[in-house]
Amino acid sequence: LCGSWTMVTWCYVLGFVKTYCVQDGLARYLFLLWLQLVLQPMHGIIEAVSVLYALVYVGTVTRSFHVVEKEVVAESPEEEAAAGQRSRVGRLSCEAREVGGGSVYV
């Protein structure tokens, strides 16, 4: 029991360290770390309930999934005309675009 609690705590602390920066303020960082550790049992309960919900509801009620088509926003009238001529099926793709110094997949 102690070994598993230590491993779970390590995973939460590792995720916390990768998410938050000390440069945002030491007091804030320590307070959020304290909350992360104190509220760990509640996080575990939420995770367990989520898994049970998925097993019961999704496993018994939902037997299929629905694919939502991506809306294409034309940047010019020529692109709009070309988009209207192509079939909407099979147009979902990921393209990397530079946005604010980083890549965003759209």
Side-chain angles (χ1 to χ4, degrees), residues 79-94:
E79 289 181 5
E80 187 175 343
Q85 293 173 356
R86 293 183 294 210
S87 170
R88 292 181 74 61
V89 178
R91 291 195 326 172
L92 299 179
S93 64
C94 270

Side-chain angles (χ1 to χ4, degrees), residues 39-86:
L39 297 176
Q40 186 176 345
M42 187 180 73
H43 296 149
I45 290 169
I46 291 171
E47 288 179 9
V49 168
S50 300
V51 169
L52 289 174
Y53 175 77
L55 289 173
V56 171
Y57 179 74
V58 177
T60 58
V61 176
T62 307
R63 294 284 182 198
S64 64
F65 60 92
H66 176 72
V67 177
V68 179
E69 290 185 21
K70 181 178 179 181
E71 292 184 25
V72 178
V73 178
E75 295 179 5
S76 68
E78 295 82 19
E79 289 181 5
E80 187 175 343
Q85 293 173 356
R86 293 183 294 210

